[in-house]
């Protein structure tokens, strides 16, 4: 009986220590917290192949949970894992929906598993983000071993207004490349909101007609989206690059 107990404990220990690693098809590691950004929502540019590696001496069961979806409804995608390929995903659900993908001992999956986005977003001026968690399960369906969480993000290079369109709706920018202050002249009363690349609102303000200098000195360097609407109902967005 003691030997059986020890064997069971050893098996559980092996399962719980099974190491799963992820990479893109080109060999780029997929680490916890990584964000992979795409600027197209059409094939093949929006395709992200996902390689799953099992470095343990035992097979592992793998599923992927869609942790969150931002600025999209989960349609017009393609998510393939194991023997299942889906065109719609739901935040909070795990896939494959029934049986997990099995990665043999000291082995890897094929080149079939992938995610691609064909949706330009509910608001095409803002990023589309899908956040995933790839995790292991034991025979009872409980999570074991390590997991890997990452995000797939689509940021449209074309879904923003140009400077002429801005001026027609009452916004004149000196430049969309900013060091400390975003200098803006408004010829119409409007409200603007500044979003980060995660689609989170980081600044919002009502502006009267006149010259304005918006302080961005405390903002991290990166890409932001300035979205606005004037009192006539005209709206638009433009990309702001903070140096």
């Amino acid at each position: 009986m003691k030997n059986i107990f020890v064997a069971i404990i050893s098996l559980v220990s092996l399962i719980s220590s099974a190491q799963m690693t992820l990479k893109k098809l080109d060999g780029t590691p997929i680490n916890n917290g990584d964000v992979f950004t795409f600027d197209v929502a059409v094939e093949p540019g929006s395709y992200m192949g996902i390689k799953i590696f099992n470095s343990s001496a035992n097979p592992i069961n793998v599923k992927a949970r869609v942790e969150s979806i931002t600025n999209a409804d989960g349609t017009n995608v393609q998510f393939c894992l194991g023997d299942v390929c889906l065109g719609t995903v739901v935040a909070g659900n795990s896939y494959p929906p029934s049986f997990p993908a099995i990665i043999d001992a000291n082995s890897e999956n094929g080149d079939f598993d992938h995610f691609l986005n064909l949706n330009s977003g509910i608001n095409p001026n803002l990023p589309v983000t899908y956040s995933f968690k790839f995790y292991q399960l034991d025979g009872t369906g409980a999570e074991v071993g390590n997991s890997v969480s990452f995000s797939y993000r689509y940021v449209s290079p074309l879904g923003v207004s140009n400077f002429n369109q801005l001026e027609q709706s009452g916004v004149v920018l000196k430049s969309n490349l900013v060091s400390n202050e975003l200098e803006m002249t408004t010829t119409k009363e409007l409200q603007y909101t500044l979003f980060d690349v995660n689609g989170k609102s980081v600044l919002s303000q009502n502006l009267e007609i006149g010259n304005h200098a918006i302080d961005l000195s405390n903002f991290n360097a990166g890409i932001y989206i300035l979205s606005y609407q004037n009192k006539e109902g005209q709206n638009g967005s433009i990309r702001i690059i903070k140096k």
Side-chain angles (χ1 to χ4, degrees), residues 29-76:
I30 301 176
N31 301 310
N32 268 318
D34 281 350
V35 178
F36 297 92
T37 302
F38 298 77
D39 61 4
V40 294
V42 294
E43 296 186 70
S46 63
Y47 183 99
M48 180 178 174
I50 301 170
K51 296 287 293 182
I52 306 172
F53 297 86
N54 173 16
S55 63
S56 75
N58 297 280
I60 59 174
N61 303 318
V62 177
K63 281 195 173 188
R65 182 163 57 245
V66 180
E67 299 283 72
S68 64
I69 302 173
T70 303
N71 191 35
D73 59 5
T75 63
N76 293 325

Side-chain angles (χ1 to χ4, degrees), residues 200-231:
K200 178 183 178 182
S201 171
V202 294
L203 188 63
S204 184
Q205 190 178 3
N206 291 314
L207 295 180
E208 301 292 333
I209 295 172
N211 298 320
H212 309 277
I214 301 169
D215 184 13
L216 300 182
S217 59
N218 292 325
F219 284 66
N220 293 329
I223 297 175
Y224 297 84
I225 301 295
L226 178 73
S227 183
Y228 67 90
Q229 179 170 324
N230 64 31
K231 288 196 170 182

Side-chain angles (χ1 to χ4, degrees), residues 115-136:
F115 180 81
L116 67 86
N117 170 58
L118 304 173
N119 191 331
S120 59
I122 297 170
N123 182 343
N125 298 314
L126 299 178
V128 171
T129 303
Y130 288 86
S131 295
F132 297 94
K133 177 183 178 181
F134 279 67
Y135 61 96
Q136 303 175 61

Side-chain angles (χ1 to χ4, degrees), residues 125-157:
N125 298 314
L126 299 178
V128 171
T129 303
Y130 288 86
S131 295
F132 297 94
K133 177 183 178 181
F134 279 67
Y135 61 96
Q136 303 175 61
L137 303 89
D138 63 16
T140 69
E143 289 190 34
V144 294
N146 69 310
S147 62
V148 180
S149 297
F150 67 93
S151 293
Y152 175 112
R153 179 169 296 144
Y154 163 68
V155 180
S156 171

Side-chain angles (χ1 to χ4, degrees), residues 6-209:
V6 171
I8 292 174
I9 294 297
S10 299
L11 178 59
V12 171
S13 176
L14 283 172
I15 293 174
S16 63
S17 63
Q19 285 299 304
M20 172 184 66
T21 55
L22 270 60
K23 292 182 180 181
K24 295 172 64 178
L25 285 182
D26 62 6
T28 302
I30 301 176
N31 301 310
N32 268 318
D34 281 350
V35 178
F36 297 92
T37 302
F38 298 77
D39 61 4
V40 294
V42 294
E43 296 186 70
S46 63
Y47 183 99
M48 180 178 174
I50 301 170
K51 296 287 293 182
I52 306 172
F53 297 86
N54 173 16
S55 63
S56 75
N58 297 280
I60 59 174
N61 303 318
V62 177
K63 281 195 173 188
R65 182 163 57 245
V66 180
E67 299 283 72
S68 64
I69 302 173
T70 303
N71 191 35
D73 59 5
T75 63
N76 293 325
V77 301
Q78 194 175 96
F79 187 32
C80 301
L81 181 59
D83 297 328
V84 176
C85 199
L86 302 166
T88 299
V89 295
V90 177
N93 286 4
S94 293
Y95 303 95
S98 52
F99 299 104
I102 300 175
I103 312 299
D104 290 332
N106 295 307
S107 186
E108 62 191 64
N109 62 334
D111 293 340
F112 172 74
D113 297 336
H114 66 273
F115 180 81
L116 67 86
N117 170 58
L118 304 173
N119 191 331
S120 59
I122 297 170
N123 182 343
N125 298 314
L126 299 178
V128 171
T129 303
Y130 288 86
S131 295
F132 297 94
K133 177 183 178 181
F134 279 67
Y135 61 96
Q136 303 175 61
L137 303 89
D138 63 16
T140 69
E143 289 190 34
V144 294
N146 69 310
S147 62
V148 180
S149 297
F150 67 93
S151 293
Y152 175 112
R153 179 169 296 144
Y154 163 68
V155 180
S156 171
L158 302 175
V160 294
S161 307
N162 60 37
F163 278 71
N164 290 333
Q165 290 174 314
L166 287 174
E167 291 183 18
Q168 290 172 9
S169 53
V171 179
V172 180
L173 290 183
K174 182 176 180 180
S175 174
N176 66 333
L177 183 63
V178 178
S179 294
N180 294 306
E181 291 185 334
L182 174 62
E183 297 182 60
M184 179 191 308
T185 298
T186 54
T187 60
K188 300 178 182 180
E189 294 182 11
L190 57 86
Q191 180 184 47
Y192 78 84
T193 303
L194 192 68
F195 297 91
D196 64 16
V197 293
N198 296 312
K200 178 183 178 182
S201 171
V202 294
L203 188 63
S204 184
Q205 190 178 3
N206 291 314
L207 295 180
E208 301 292 333
I209 295 172

